[in-house]
Every structure is written in C-alpha cells, then in structure tokens.
Amino acid sequence: MRGTTTAPNFGIFYNDTAGSQIAANQAATVKARLMAVGYTCQLLTADSALAARTLLAQRLEQFDGLVVVGGDGTLNTAMTAMFESGCFVPLGLVPSGRENLFAKRWQIAKDVEKACQIIISGRLKRVNASVINHQYVCHTTLTIGTDPTATCHELEQEIPFRGWKQLRWWLNYLKHSPKFSLNYQFGNEAAQPITTRIFKVNPYVISKGAKYHEQRESNFTVRYLNSQPLVQMWAVSRMMMTHSLANGISHAQAQTQLNVTTKSDVDMVKVMLDGNIRPQLPLEMNIVRDMYEVFLPSGNFI
C-alpha cells in the first residue's frame, strides 16, 4: 500500500445490478469491519459495467486500496478500470459471485470475515494479467470447445435443467458433441491444426492444489486438450509435455503468446472465460507479468 501516516483509505466496489441485496449487504459488512480497525472506506457501485469503469477511473487516485465484492466479472471490471485509468492500487477480494474461480485458485475465503482478515493482514502478491483479444483480464481458466458450447445450449433452455435431468442432458450432449478443427500457435511457432473437443489453458502453472512452480508462473499451462480421433493424441501429448506443437522442439518453458483460429464458422466455436461466454475466435492471448497487486492468504507464498 502507499506509504501514508493517515488511516488507509479504501474504496469498496460491488455489483448492485443483479436485483439482490446480497452484494450490498456484504459491502456494508466489509466497510464496518475495515472501519473497526481504523480504515476509512467509501462504497462504490454503478448500474452498468461501463458506468462502473468510469466511476472507478475517476476515484482510484483517492484510494490506498480497492476491495471488490463480487465474482470474476466484477473483479475484471475493476481491473479494466485500473488499466484504462493508469492508476493501479492494491486489490482485495470478497468472493460473492456464482463461480468465484479466481478466488478458488488463490484460496480466498468466501466467508466475509475471513476475506476481510486477508486484506487487513496486508499480505500482497503480484499476479499476472492476460490480454485476450486486446482486453485486459485476470482469469483462471479459458476454455474452447465442448464445455462452453454445451453451457451455451443449456442456458438457452426455457426451463433450466436440474439434478439427474441435467446430468443426462450433458452426457447425451458430450456423446454427440461437435469436434472442431482449430489451429494452435504458441509464440513464433508455425500454427498446427488439431481436431479438438475441449481445450483449456491457464496462465498459472498449478500442481497439487495451491502449490505452483514460482519460476514458471509467467507461462501458459495446457490443463488438457481432449482431441479426436486418436491419431491426434501424439500431437496433443507432445504439446502437453513440451508446451510445443512443433516436431523435435522441447521448450524449457511455454511461450507467452497463444493464437487460436479456425476455418469453420466462428460462431460455432464458443469460448468461455472463467465460466462466462465472452471472447470469440480468432483468439489472441498474451501474458503480462506482475500487473496487479492482490491481497492473498499466506498459503499462496510457497
């Protein structure tokens, strides 16, 4: 945080557009908790993502830190505002979304009191940002193929599936799910076509839960790429082992640029970012190291 002799001044940003008072109530609880230990706090919200970015861009310079009460989308709104304004302040997160994938990856408790304690402890760590089709985001998983396509189809149903009915629908969809011919290119390598069902990529190297290899944190990690037919499995296995699609090349680390294109109808290929269907092909993804400071629990300093 910025070195000041006065009480830390924090903004508390929350999404109040979903029609529920949960985020507003949690934001009020966070404000009371931080003020109890000597912080000064201001609540911030807006009725759209654009209005929220504008509001944050105008106010960020006043703060020593910003607490985001919400999910992955609310967090990325705040991060986008920082990038657009050029004003970066330490970020705290109180998970309040549906998936909270960023919080799960970094083990930030959904319990408001525990999340506040992480912020009060003052433990900061720099995390990477990704530039996906020229948009700055801080994500956990990007998925292309069957998963987001099935999610899109399921969301289009008039009555959402639940329980065994949902499971049967997903199993039937996976059985008949489409296979896409996609071109993957890491860094300066030549693009390689692979028939793909599911492709997942993560900006962090994760091994056995919360532990990860610090020296490779800036790399892309292919979580899994499940391709058909089986003749493609050698290309897939080689990429997972070497982070390269080229024959005879074994990289010590993955390239920090990924391009994915297709000759098929781009509207058929869905891309899901942290559970939200957003980007479209062609897709260009780059890693920007250590762009944001985030309050994280001590277990993430391994």
Side-chain angles (χ1 to χ4, degrees):
M1 290 190 299
R2 301 170 185 174
T4 61
T5 56
T6 58
N9 182 27
F10 271 49
I12 301 173
F13 170 58
Y14 65 98
N15 180 2
D16 197 30
T17 63
S20 171
Q21 286 294 310
I22 294 176
N25 292 339
Q26 289 182 325
T29 301
V30 172
K31 179 179 179 180
R33 181 68 178 87
L34 296 184
M35 291 184 69
V37 294
Y39 289 46
T40 58
C41 302
Q42 301 175 45
L43 296 177
L44 303 168
T45 190
D47 58 6
S48 70
L50 178 60
R53 295 201 307 271
T54 301
L55 173 65
L56 289 172
Q58 295 171 345
R59 304 290 294 277
L60 280 171
E61 288 188 354
Q62 305 173 15
F63 301 132
D64 299 299
L66 180 71
V67 179
V68 175
V69 180
D72 299 303
T74 308
L75 178 64
N76 274 309
T77 296
M79 289 176 162
T80 301
M82 287 188 183
F83 173 76
E84 291 176 344
S85 67
C87 182
F88 293 83
V89 298
L91 276 163
L93 177 62
V94 177
S96 183
R98 290 190 303 272
E99 295 292 337
N100 302 304
L101 294 176
F102 184 86
K104 290 176 182 176
R105 185 266 172 267
W106 292 108
Q107 295 186 306
I108 300 174
K110 196 170 184 179
D111 178 85
V112 175
E113 174 59 31
K114 292 180 179 179
C116 287
Q117 190 56 48
I118 293 172
I119 298 166
I120 294 169
S121 70
R123 289 187 292 264
L124 284 168
K125 180 176 178 61
R126 288 196 172 274
V127 301
N128 301 335
S130 299
V131 186
I132 300 178
N133 290 352
H134 308 291
Q135 178 184 2
Y136 280 77
V137 298
C138 200
H139 76 288
T140 304
T141 301
L142 181 138
T143 310
I144 303 170
T146 296
D147 279 1
T149 305
T151 299
C152 185
H153 286 189
E154 200 272 343
L155 291 173
E156 290 173 351
Q157 303 300 315
E158 293 183 5
I159 301 176
F161 297 141
R162 294 292 182 268
W164 285 107
K165 185 177 181 181
Q166 182 183 43
L167 178 60
R168 287 196 305 270
W169 184 89
W170 273 76
L171 291 175
N172 183 65
Y173 181 87
L174 292 174
K175 180 179 179 180
H176 301 285
S177 61
K179 298 183 288 289
F180 304 106
S181 180
L182 304 180
N183 292 318
Y184 298 93
Q185 179 182 13
F186 285 97
N188 296 321
E189 293 183 10
Q192 300 286 337
I194 293 183
T195 304
T196 306
R197 281 186 184 272
I198 300 172
F199 174 79
K200 289 195 176 185
V201 63
N202 192 293
Y204 299 96
V205 174
I206 303 173
S207 176
K208 296 182 180 179
K211 294 184 179 181
Y212 61 95
H213 303 292
E214 179 73 31
Q215 70 273 18
R216 295 181 59 189
E217 187 187 3
S218 64
N219 306 331
F220 288 119
T221 302
V222 177
R223 299 292 295 277
Y224 61 83
L225 191 156
N226 181 12
S227 298
Q228 298 292 334
L230 291 177
V231 293
Q232 297 284 358
M233 289 307 295
W234 167 238
V236 175
S237 300
R238 182 174 66 247
M239 183 175 68
M240 294 180 69
M241 291 186 293
T242 68
H243 301 281
S244 170
L245 286 172
N247 289 319
I249 297 178
S250 177
H251 286 269
Q253 61 181 19
Q255 301 293 330
T256 56
Q257 183 182 59
L258 168 68
N259 292 276
V260 184
T261 58
T262 179
K263 293 182 180 178
S264 304
D265 183 356
V266 293
D267 292 332
M268 292 179 58
V269 186
K270 303 298 182 183
V271 181
M272 190 160 58
L273 181 65
D274 278 349
N276 295 318
I277 299 173
R278 290 181 180 174
Q280 286 187 320
L281 299 185
L283 183 141
E284 178 181 328
M285 181 177 179
N286 294 275
I287 293 288
V288 181
R289 291 209 63 188
D290 300 337
M291 192 167 187
Y292 297 101
E293 281 189 306
V294 182
F295 293 98
L296 295 176
S298 57
N300 284 296
F301 292 81
I302 297 173

